[in-house]
Amino acid sequence: FVAAITVLEQEIAKENGEEPPPPLDESKFFFGMARTEATLTVEQIKMGLYLVEAGELTLVNGVSQDVYDAGVAPRDTIVSVAIDGGSDGVGRFDEQTKEMDIEGTANVIRGAIQYATEQKVDAVLFELNRLMKMGYADQ
């Protein structure tokens, strides 16, 4: 995870025209992981969700403010994408993305957008792993 986060932070700095941050000192920081969910509209997905492949992980690289407010944050990894019920109230889209590369993850998201559009459903559920940077308190 540390290597993936380092790649992500370097990409963010490059996009912002900033100097890349120094490598994380693993003696001072570690990462915890939590599972969370966020529901996004098709429009939010299309306009405000950006991914990056960092090492062996596909991470959320950036989000618009409304996507962030809906519960998706940079450094999240997408575990699954689901849509309950179609226009008939019966169908379901449910695809796992855990450990997929960026192309596979993007294909699942595109499939969800297509399904949601065809079924006239606008709520897409993302199951996420949230990587949390933690540090040791100075003593």
Side-chain angles (χ1 to χ4, degrees), residues 3-116:
I5 295 299
T6 300
V7 170
L8 177 62
E9 289 180 346
Q10 290 172 349
E11 288 295 316
I12 291 170
K14 188 186 322 179
E15 286 179 15
N16 294 333
E18 301 168 352
E19 288 293 317
L24 292 173
D25 181 351
E26 291 184 54
S27 67
K28 295 182 180 179
F29 296 101
F30 61 97
F31 289 87
M33 187 166 52
R35 185 72 48 101
T36 188
E37 294 180 344
T39 301
L40 302 178
T41 66
V42 169
E43 188 66 21
Q44 286 174 314
I45 298 167
K46 288 180 177 180
M47 303 303 292
L49 182 65
Y50 308 97
L51 305 176
V52 65
E53 194 166 77
E56 297 179 14
L57 292 175
T58 299
L59 299 168
V60 174
N61 184 34
V63 295
S64 62
Q65 185 63 49
D66 62 328
V67 171
Y68 183 83
D69 292 343
V72 182
R75 298 187 184 137
D76 285 352
T77 58
I78 301 170
V79 176
S80 68
V81 181
I83 302 169
D84 283 325
S87 55
D88 59 5
V90 178
R92 178 169 171 79
F93 179 96
D94 192 356
E95 295 287 332
Q96 300 295 308
T97 58
K98 187 176 181 182
E99 299 179 9
M100 273 190 188
D101 63 12
I102 194 168
E103 185 176 339
T105 302
N107 284 336
V108 168
I109 294 170
R110 279 192 287 273
I113 291 170
Q114 181 178 350
Y115 181 86

